Amino acid sequence: MQELIWTIVIATLVFLPLELVLPARRAGWGGWQRIRTDLLHVFVGGMAIRFGTALLAVALLFPFRIETAIDLPLWLQVPAVLVLCDLMFWLAHRLFHAVPVLWRFHAIHHCSEKLDFLAAFRVHPVDQIVNSTIIAAPVVLLGFSPEALAIYAVAYKWHALLLHSNVRLSLGPLDALIATPAFHHWHHADQPDAYDRNFGGQLLIWDRLFGTLNWRGGTFPETYGIEENLPENYISHMVAPFVPSKEPAYEDATAPLR
């Protein structure tokens, strides 16, 4: 819990000023109900995700470690972990968009109609536990060092907060390689021509390779969210994946997903 408290405090001190000084879009803050809901995702959901991911990883992955990468120097392990984890992130992310029963859980993350750094925490525990396990599988099984995994985990967490933040930020020529807020905001866009695009976490290489890149320079979408109108309520978010829906984005595997 202490780690979660420090995360939200530091994230607020870092990203709130950036969103005020360099806003991608001049949008309202969304009201206290939205903030309250996302803070419950931070603390209640965060604790469930940490416990569930650790339990699943210990049960499914650690017994099969083969200890082949452990002898590599750390400066080689870190980029190798980044590339492997980002590939698995793309695959897991694509899977959760393509399979209707998985989309029901991932849709909670996409129901935010306002994107800022807090929206990064709006995730269903089932979504994140399964995703995290898939992403970690290769690097855990290959025996990468705890130090390399820790460096990646920290970089991933803070990069994810940046990607969801309402910040207009360009890395210059590196925009073609490294994910930026503009790149990820289009993944959350509520318009059909943006569906099923920009699945990468840190890198754009997999979207380029697999034909899912939606590159629109430094522009940002006008609207975010999903067709399913979910209330700004944490309990509703936890229950929604288990409630039958009439929306085609949930029930029809041929319909465009988010």
Side-chain angles (χ1 to χ4, degrees):
M1 178 61 76
Q2 187 176 16
E3 178 193 349
L4 291 172
I5 293 173
W6 277 111
T7 295
I8 199 65
V9 168
I10 296 171
T12 302
L13 292 175
V14 171
F15 290 105
L16 187 57
L18 285 175
E19 292 184 340
L20 293 173
V21 174
L22 299 171
R25 298 177 64 247
R26 296 290 180 181
W29 56 284
W32 287 111
Q33 182 61 36
R34 180 192 74 88
I35 292 177
R36 185 161 52 247
T37 299
D38 284 342
L39 286 176
L40 286 171
H41 276 286
V42 173
F43 294 109
V44 180
M47 293 294 289
I49 290 165
R50 279 162 172 74
F51 177 77
T53 302
L55 187 64
L56 198 59
V58 169
L60 298 181
L61 300 180
F62 280 96
F64 303 100
R65 285 164 60 90
I66 57 179
E67 305 288 348
T68 60
I70 199 71
D71 293 330
L72 294 174
L74 187 62
W75 65 270
L76 282 178
Q77 288 195 50
V78 171
V81 168
L82 169 62
V83 172
L84 279 173
C85 284
D86 202 63
L87 172 59
M88 298 308 295
F89 182 98
W90 189 97
L91 292 170
H93 200 177
R94 187 70 187 91
L95 188 67
F96 269 78
H97 277 252
V99 178
V101 68
L102 297 180
W103 165 251
R104 295 172 69 87
F105 293 97
H106 189 59
I108 304 306
H109 181 57
H110 280 264
C111 75
S112 292
E113 296 182 355
K114 171 183 169 53
L115 240 58
D116 58 15
F117 73 93
L118 270 180
F121 296 101
R122 181 176 293 205
V123 290
H124 198 285
V126 171
D127 175 3
Q128 283 301 288
I129 290 169
V130 175
N131 258 301
S132 297
T133 304
I134 293 173
I135 293 166
V139 293
V140 171
L141 294 175
L142 290 173
F144 282 90
S145 70
E147 293 81 7
L149 300 183
I151 291 171
Y152 169 77
V154 170
Y156 169 83
K157 177 172 71 175
W158 291 98
H159 192 196
L161 291 173
L162 173 63
L163 294 182
H164 292 86
S165 65
N166 183 35
V167 173
R168 187 177 298 275
L169 175 69
S170 173
L171 302 175
L174 291 178
D175 284 352
L177 175 64
I178 300 174
T180 62
F183 165 84
H184 192 68
H185 276 229
W186 278 106
H187 177 69
H188 282 264
D190 184 22
Q191 55 189 73
D193 61 343
Y195 296 168
D196 287 331
R197 298 290 184 269
N198 294 5
F199 293 107
Q202 276 70 58
L203 306 173
L204 275 62
I205 56 175
W206 311 115
D207 285 297
R208 292 186 184 279
L209 180 62
F210 297 119
T212 54
L213 180 65
N214 178 25
W215 177 248
R216 306 201 184 192
T219 64
F220 286 80
E222 289 298 320
T223 58
Y224 304 91
I226 58 176
E227 293 176 5
E228 184 84 354
N229 185 22
L230 296 179
E232 288 288 358
N233 179 281
Y234 181 75
I235 299 300
S236 297
H237 290 178
M238 295 300 98
V239 172
F242 304 99
V243 177
S245 170
K246 296 180 180 180
E247 294 292 335
Y250 279 119
E251 303 298 340
D252 182 2
T254 65
L257 304 181
R258 297 296 193 277

